[in-house]
Amino acid sequence: PYADGIAGVILKLILRTKLLVEINGDYHQLDPTKHIVKRWLMRWIYHICVRLADAIKVLNRDQENFINRHYPGKKIYRFPSLVATEFFRSLEHYQGDYLLTVGTEFERKGVDILIRAFNQISDSHPNIKLKIMGYCPEHEIGKYLELARRNSRIEFIKAGWIEDVGEQMRGCYALVSAARSEAMGRVHFEAMACRKPVVTTRTNGGLDYVMDGRTGLLCEIGDVDELAKKLDWLLSRPSVAAKMGEAAFERLQMEFSEEKYAERFLAMVEEVVNCETQVPVPLNRKPRETPIK
């Protein structure tokens, strides 16, 4: 609903076509920037893009409720973004000896909270490590290194491509996210595809996509003690963690697979553009040279 949204609005007006905008972050809850003038401008752009869109795609219930309250009558579709679940599903997985967190923007991802929670329980689980994978600017990484300085079992891994994430994901004991804000959590689905339980906070993404006690565990945002207790509980029950991972995988396949995404996306587009159903062209025939009106 910002740069892409403005481009979409311009094309909509020029081409007299329809516009579908995806809101891929909880922008209704977070300030887009600390700069006052830029913040006002971005909020104005957000309003224009949503107001002029023919339909809105959201990721969670809270986004949907916000649009319903402030833009009544707007057509809304709610389902996750596309995640490369087939790639992660294809990986050979095992229950390893480390917890994993993946993501950039360490502050929003609550990496400091996770480190403090792990420090509380690491003595009780001397064979378990914590791996933190992602990018953090040089001027910010210092405080996280300081928090982890006295614990040799905390490892920082630089950000990588999907294959690098997959290599770490397939062997972790569980995926952990202490995020302060999360509209969906793409990494949650990647973990589910690798049959891993997800321990995360009660963000909008956590509440919508992680079933507490069945596919993972939920805890309060910013609560170091509760996160530590949940991690201690799960690490003490390997068989339960494995069952949660299997339940997460089954739910992913039923509701959030690439195939399910394609079905929902195409149905959404067809409904928005109100196009007529066309008869598929047989494989042994060439398509028409002229467009179908």
Side-chain angles (χ1 to χ4, degrees):
Y2 294 122
D4 292 345
I6 282 295
V9 167
I10 293 172
L11 290 171
K12 168 187 170 71
L13 298 176
I14 293 176
L15 302 176
R16 297 183 180 181
T17 187
K18 293 189 176 182
L19 174 64
L20 210 168
V21 172
E22 175 176 291
I23 301 176
N24 50 15
D26 284 335
Y27 307 125
H28 63 294
Q29 294 180 335
L30 302 174
D31 286 331
T33 178
K34 295 180 179 179
H35 192 280
I36 297 176
V37 175
K38 188 177 180 180
R39 182 166 65 235
W40 176 87
L41 178 62
M42 291 182 72
R43 286 177 175 171
W44 179 80
I45 291 174
Y46 179 98
H47 172 73
I48 292 297
C49 293
V50 174
R51 188 74 178 174
L52 294 182
D54 295 279
I56 301 293
K57 180 189 175 299
V58 298
L59 302 176
N60 59 61
R61 288 171 292 179
D62 200 64
Q63 289 177 331
E64 183 176 13
N65 292 335
F66 175 83
I67 298 298
N68 277 326
R69 288 195 308 269
H70 294 274
Y71 304 91
K74 185 68 66 176
K75 186 69 175 175
I76 304 173
Y77 298 86
R78 173 166 57 88
F79 56 94
S81 297
L82 176 64
V83 181
T85 56
E86 289 301 310
F87 167 76
F88 286 90
R89 189 180 75 159
S90 70
L91 300 175
E92 183 179 353
H93 66 278
Y94 59 94
Q95 190 178 62
D97 61 352
Y98 60 92
L99 300 171
L100 177 68
T101 190
V102 182
T104 57
E105 299 181 47
F106 279 15
E107 174 68 20
R108 186 170 66 84
K109 296 295 183 181
V111 172
D112 55 320
I113 297 169
L114 176 56
I115 293 174
R116 290 189 175 98
F118 183 75
N119 282 338
Q120 284 190 19
I121 65 166
S122 60
D123 288 343
S124 300
H125 304 277
N127 296 322
I128 295 294
K129 299 186 289 289
L130 170 63
K131 293 188 178 183
I132 301 169
M133 184 178 192
Y135 170 75
C136 184
E138 290 293 331
H139 66 277
E140 293 182 9
I141 192 66
K143 66 177 182 180
Y144 302 103
L145 293 174
E146 180 62 25
L147 284 172
R149 182 172 60 88
R150 297 180 182 178
N151 197 327
S152 61
R153 286 186 282 119
I154 298 179
E155 179 183 354
F156 289 85
I157 303 172
K158 67 179 182 179
W161 301 103
I162 187 171
E163 293 84 2
D164 303 307
V165 177
E167 181 59 30
Q168 298 300 327
M169 189 73 73
R170 73 186 186 92
C172 71
Y173 184 97
L175 178 78
V176 187
S177 171
R180 292 179 167 92
S181 173
E182 193 76 84
M184 185 190 85
R186 184 182 302 274
V187 70
H188 296 169
F189 295 90
E190 295 170 350
M192 293 164 72
C194 287
R195 293 177 166 84
K196 303 297 181 180
V198 177
V199 181
T200 188
T201 47
R202 290 184 172 88
T203 58
N204 291 329
L207 289 169
D208 274 20
Y209 298 116
V210 176
M211 301 175 71
D212 193 19
R214 293 185 60 187
T215 66
L217 299 172
L218 296 176
C219 60
E220 292 301 322
I221 297 172
D223 194 326
V224 175
D225 293 337
E226 186 182 11
L227 178 58
K229 290 178 182 178
K230 294 291 177 72
L231 292 177
D232 180 56
W233 186 90
L234 192 66
L235 288 170
S236 302
R237 296 165 173 81
S239 61
V240 173
K243 288 179 181 179
M244 283 185 174
E246 290 297 327
F249 177 77
E250 290 175 7
R251 189 184 183 209
L252 176 85
Q253 291 302 104
M254 291 178 61
E255 300 183 41
F256 309 129
S257 66
E258 292 181 30
E259 182 180 2
K260 291 295 183 182
Y261 175 86
E263 291 175 1
R264 291 173 177 173
F265 186 86
L266 291 173
M268 173 182 68
V269 172
E270 286 187 4
E271 187 170 319
V272 171
V273 302
N274 197 27
C275 63
E276 296 179 0
T277 303
Q278 298 176 9
V279 178
V281 178
L283 293 177
N284 60 350
R285 289 178 55 190
K286 293 183 178 180
R288 296 187 185 187
E289 297 296 332
T290 55
I292 298 174
K293 296 184 179 180

